[in-house]
Amino acid sequence: MKEQLEQISQWIISSRRIVIFAGAGLSTESGIPDFRSPGGVWDRYDPEDFYFQNFLSSEASREKYWQMATEMYEPMKKAQPNLAHLAIAEMERLGKLDCVITQNIDGLHFKAGNSEDKVIQLHGTAMAVSCLTCGKRYDRDEIQERLRKGMKAPKCDTCGGPLKPATISFGQSMPEKETQEAYHRSSISDLFIVIGSSLVVQPAASMPLVAKRNGAKLVIINRDPTSYDDMADLVIHGQAGPIMDSILKEAKKKIDNP
Ligand code: APR
């Protein structure tokens, strides 16, 4: 392990365009369950109930969606960034971060100190709500307050359209600008570090391939094996928090004593 941490910190020093690709595994140490691990979100909920077409299909489906979304939102709202989030924010302060491409909707990158223009939220955010008809945005807590007061499936004040957390559901079209930007940044990166993702959901999971095919070194830090491990330049199976914390400590030592 020590050699691997050493190697990654050396690559961080020598690389110019470092992309962090984040998945739900980055936030489990902050108390937010991931999706596909035992006890994860898809163990407790049926993914079908989260399909976009389902949400559009009926008032009853929207009520069910909001009930589940509220249960998932509470731990997210309380969550604090862990060592891995803080290490990524530190990389930005050190000028060693091109961007974070995140699948996470919890907003913890920002709580950790990353700036808006450095984080590409591929799957949207749970911290805001938008009208599916007119696109009007609402603060999530404002809408949660209406639900707490008994509303079941909130509607837009302006056009009466259905409101939905500003996340990208299965079957919903990906955000165009963010997706294109993520592909572009992946294609010009020289070090691409995957942290806490099973790499099974497309199109997000094609980003490491784009990076590798364009010459980037690919590093995977994940508790469990992924189907991309064989094509990676370096793989570490373990907890992201302590691993990223050690890597940054090593990198900073090198920066301080070149
Ligand atoms: N440190 C490192 N890896 C971890 C940790 C941890 N503390 N905790 C969990 N993991 C790993 C698990 O081993 C798992 O392989 O993180 C991975 C999380 O995978 P998923 O649950 O599939 O999450 P993700 O890859 O982000 O899912 C992609 O699927 O359900 C949709 O929209 C949702 O954005 C999500 C997308």
Side-chain angles (χ1 to χ4, degrees):
M1 173 75 97
K2 192 153 178 11
E3 295 78 40
Q4 292 175 312
L5 300 180
E6 168 64 29
Q7 178 62 80
I8 299 173
S9 65
Q10 188 48 57
W11 283 341
I12 287 178
I13 298 299
S14 58
S15 301
R16 293 180 29 259
R17 287 181 187 277
I18 306 174
V19 171
I20 299 281
F21 180 88
L26 179 72
S27 296
T28 55
E29 292 162 63
S30 296
I32 302 173
D34 64 15
F35 294 89
R36 294 173 186 80
S37 294
V41 173
W42 300 145
D43 253 10
R44 287 183 294 136
Y45 300 104
D46 178 352
E48 296 267 330
D49 291 332
F50 282 84
Y51 277 39
F52 190 53
Q53 287 64 27
N54 230 357
F55 187 87
L56 297 176
S57 66
S58 70
E59 187 76 1
S61 300
R62 287 189 282 279
E63 289 183 8
K64 187 172 184 182
Y65 183 101
W66 271 105
Q67 198 197 330
M68 298 184 297
T70 297
E71 286 166 18
M72 287 171 67
Y73 177 64
E74 293 309 327
M76 260 184 218
K77 186 174 172 331
K78 295 194 199 87
Q80 291 304 315
N82 61 55
L83 289 175
H85 294 106
L86 297 173
I88 297 167
E90 181 70 6
M91 285 176 70
E92 180 178 335
R93 277 190 293 278
L94 293 168
K96 294 303 302 184
L97 181 71
D98 182 65
C99 70
V100 179
I101 299 171
T102 191
Q103 299 169 93
N104 298 345
I105 58 175
D106 54 36
L108 287 178
H109 298 294
F110 305 115
K111 274 189 187 171
N114 281 116
S115 44
E116 294 273 337
D117 62 350
K118 286 284 185 185
V119 180
I120 302 172
Q121 299 187 105
L122 266 187
H123 294 162
T125 174
M127 301 302 140
V129 169
S130 49
C131 171
L132 295 180
T133 307
C134 72
K136 184 175 176 178
R137 295 278 273 205
Y138 296 78
D139 173 70
R140 179 69 185 260
D141 288 333
E142 182 198 330
I143 302 303
Q144 287 304 134
E145 189 54 22
R146 298 184 192 186
L147 289 156
R148 209 178 55 69
K149 290 187 176 137
M151 186 175 280
K152 296 247 178 281
K155 294 188 174 44
C156 180
D157 301 340
T158 306
C159 74
L163 297 185
K164 178 182 166 294
T167 57
I168 305 298
S169 300
F170 290 125
Q172 193 171 0
S173 44
M174 292 288 289
E176 208 171 318
K177 187 171 76 53
E178 286 82 355
T179 306
Q180 278 177 4
E181 185 66 15
Y183 272 121
H184 173 61
R185 299 292 188 102
S186 300
S187 69
I188 59 172
S189 71
D190 55 4
L191 179 59
F192 194 94
I193 307 176
V194 174
I195 307 177
S197 180
S198 59
L199 298 173
V200 297
V201 172
Q202 296 294 350
S206 61
M207 305 287 170
L209 292 177
V210 169
K212 183 74 185 166
R213 289 209 185 107
N214 286 278
K217 287 190 188 60
L218 177 60
V219 170
I220 299 179
I221 299 169
N222 201 58
R223 194 189 53 217
D224 301 304
T226 77
S227 57
Y228 287 27
D229 285 10
D230 294 349
M231 56 172 255
D233 296 278
L234 201 156
V235 177
I236 303 184
H237 293 145
Q239 297 286 94
I243 291 169
M244 284 302 294
D245 186 54
S246 310
I247 290 171
L248 251 292
K249 283 203 174 86
E250 278 297 316
K252 283 170 78 176
K253 259 195 253 159
K254 290 181 175 29
I255 290 171
D256 297 344
N257 317 293

